[in-house]
Amino acid sequence: MNLVSMAMQFLGPMIINKIAGSLGINQGLAGKAIAAIVPTILAGLVGKASTPSGASDLFGALGKHDTGMLGNLGNLIGGSGQQSMVDNGNSLLGSLLGGSSTSALAGAVGKFADIGSDQSKSLVGMLAPVVMGSLAQQSKSSGLDAGGLANMLMGQKDNIASAMPAGFADLLGGSGLLDGISGNLKQAATPAVRETAPNPSYAASSSNGNMMKYLLPAFAALLALFYFIKPSDKGAEQQAAPQPAATAPAPAATAPAPAGVNIAEYTNQATTILNSLKASIGGVKDAATAKKALPDFQNIAGQLEKLKGGAMALSADARHPLVQMISAALPGVASSIDTVMKIPGVAAVLKPVMDQVMGHLGTLGKA
C-alpha cells in the first residue's frame, strides 16, 4: 500500500488536463505542482496524527468527508462546483494543519512550479479533498479507528519522503508541514543510486547504472513518483526500439537545438506523459480495468511516439536534460509495469501497448 500513489490514481490524464485548463496553466506545470502538493499534504497529516488528539481530530474529519466526490472530479473541476471545492479544501486543510501552513504550501508551490499565487492556492484547495477522500476510503475499507489511522500514516513516512520532489522541501522551511517525516527526508536525500543494476524486465536503456546521479534537480519529481514500488527481480527482456546509429559527421553531435526549440517544452511534455502513465497504471486492478484503461495507454504510447519524433531530431547535447530525466525514471516505470502485468489476465490485454510504451521510453532514455 502506498498512500501517495492511491491519491494520484484519481488524478489521471483527463483530470490533470482539466485542472490545468481551469487554472489557465501549462499541463506540465500542473503536473509538477501536483507531484509536490500530494505528498506534502500527506506529510502534514502524518504530523497531525503524531499525537492522540491530532489523530482523533483527523479521524473525525475523515469520517465526515464525502468520498463520493472522487468519482465526480471530472464534473467538479472546471464546473460550477469548482470554487466551492477549492474553498472547502482550503478550509479543511487550514483547520487540520493551520492556516499559515496552508499558505506556506501554496507559496512554495507557486515558486516551485512557477505559477501565480491565486493558481497555486486554488490547486492546493482542489487537491486537499482528493487526498482526504483517498485517505478516508482506505481508512473506512480497513475498518480503522483513530489509533489505527495514526499507525497507517506513520508507516507511510518512507513512501511520502520518496515522493517529495527534490528541492521542494527547502521551500517549506519553517512551515512545520514536513516535521512528521523530517528524518525520512534526510534518508531519501542521501543516496544516490537505489539500484546497482537495471531492472531486467525493461533494462536495455539503463546500461549505465549510475545515470541517476546526474539527474537534474528540476526533474527529480518524476523519479520519486515512479519509485513507489520496489523493482522486481524477474521479468521479460525489454523490447526497446533501437536508437538510430550515429551517421552524421562529428560537428552535428554538438549542434545547437533548432531555432525556436526549447528543451524545457519537451521535458514538460514528458512530465505530463509520465504522470499520466503512472496514474493509469495505478488504476489497473484486474483484466476488466485493464481493458477499460487500454485506450489511455494507447494514447500515452502515441504521445510518446510524437515526443520521440521531435526530441530525436535534436542534437545529443540539446536533448541531454530529457535523456537524463527519462533514463532515471525508467527503472521505476519498468517496475510498476512488471507488477501490474503479473495480475492475472492483464498481460493478455496490455502487453503489446506496454511494449510500445517502453520501446519509446527506451529510445528517449538513451544518450
Side-chain angles (χ1 to χ4, degrees):
M1 178 182 66
N2 184 302
L3 292 179
V4 177
S5 61
M6 290 176 69
M8 288 295 295
Q9 72 178 337
F10 296 105
L11 300 167
M14 292 181 62
I15 298 300
I16 293 176
N17 290 346
K18 293 202 73 171
I19 289 174
S22 70
L23 297 179
I25 60 178
N26 177 277
Q27 293 176 12
L29 297 182
K32 183 177 181 180
I34 290 169
I37 294 170
V38 170
T40 303
I41 291 176
L42 285 168
L45 297 180
V46 169
K48 179 70 176 179
S50 62
T51 65
S53 61
S56 179
D57 289 345
L58 177 57
F59 181 74
L62 292 179
K64 300 174 184 177
H65 196 76
D66 177 17
T67 58
M69 55 80 60
L70 293 172
N72 194 37
L73 290 176
N75 293 324
L76 288 172
I77 297 171
S80 59
Q82 175 172 307
Q83 191 56 51
S84 177
M85 176 186 180
V86 168
D87 293 341
N88 290 338
N90 280 320
S91 177
L92 175 60
L93 209 58
S95 68
L96 289 171
L97 305 181
S100 61
S101 294
T102 304
S103 297
L105 174 55
V109 169
K111 294 177 182 178
F112 182 69
D114 194 23
I115 59 178
S117 58
D118 289 341
Q119 294 165 323
S120 60
K121 184 177 180 180
S122 293
L123 190 49
V124 170
M126 284 185 197
L127 296 182
V130 175
V131 175
M132 290 290 289
S134 175
L135 188 56
Q137 273 193 347
Q138 183 60 31
S139 177
K140 291 175 183 176
S141 65
S142 301
L144 301 179
D145 57 12
L149 173 64
N151 289 335
M152 178 177 71
L153 283 167
M154 297 306 153
Q156 290 291 307
K157 290 183 179 182
D158 284 340
N159 290 333
I160 296 169
S162 296
M164 193 68 63
F168 188 66
D170 296 336
L171 299 175
L172 292 168
S175 69
L177 282 167
L178 304 183
D179 289 355
I181 63 166
S182 57
N184 305 75
L185 279 173
K186 292 177 182 178
Q187 294 175 10
T190 49
V193 184
R194 290 191 181 188
E195 301 175 325
T196 57
N199 188 328
S201 300
Y202 288 102
S205 63
S206 300
S207 59
N208 183 355
N210 290 322
M211 180 62 74
M212 284 170 55
K213 69 182 180 180
Y214 300 110
L215 178 64
L216 295 178
F219 307 124
L222 291 172
L223 179 61
L225 284 174
F226 284 103
Y227 266 93
F228 67 90
I229 301 176
K230 182 178 179 181
S232 59
D233 295 324
K234 298 180 180 180
E237 197 172 304
Q238 180 184 4
Q239 300 177 10
Q243 184 179 9
T247 57
T254 56
V261 172
N262 182 354
I263 191 61
E265 295 179 4
Y266 286 97
T267 54
N268 282 340
Q269 289 177 37
T271 299
T272 300
I273 294 170
L274 289 176
N275 282 339
S276 298
L277 176 60
K278 177 184 179 296
S280 296
I281 289 173
V284 176
K285 307 299 181 186
D286 50 30
T289 52
K291 291 179 181 178
K292 185 176 180 180
L294 180 59
D296 289 338
F297 289 117
Q298 291 171 333
N299 182 48
I300 289 168
Q303 292 178 39
L304 283 171
E305 184 174 17
K306 186 180 295 184
L307 176 67
K308 181 180 70 174
M312 296 308 292
L314 303 177
S315 68
D317 284 354
R319 68 174 182 268
H320 187 60
L322 177 65
V323 170
Q324 287 183 308
M325 182 186 73
I326 297 294
S327 178
L330 264 172
V333 177
S335 173
S336 300
I337 291 177
D338 284 345
T339 298
V340 80
M341 296 286 272
K342 292 175 182 177
I343 300 173
V346 169
V349 177
L350 295 182
K351 188 176 187 305
V353 71
M354 289 303 194
D355 286 346
Q356 291 177 32
V357 166
M358 288 307 301
H360 295 322
L361 287 174
T363 301
L364 285 166
K366 290 181 181 178

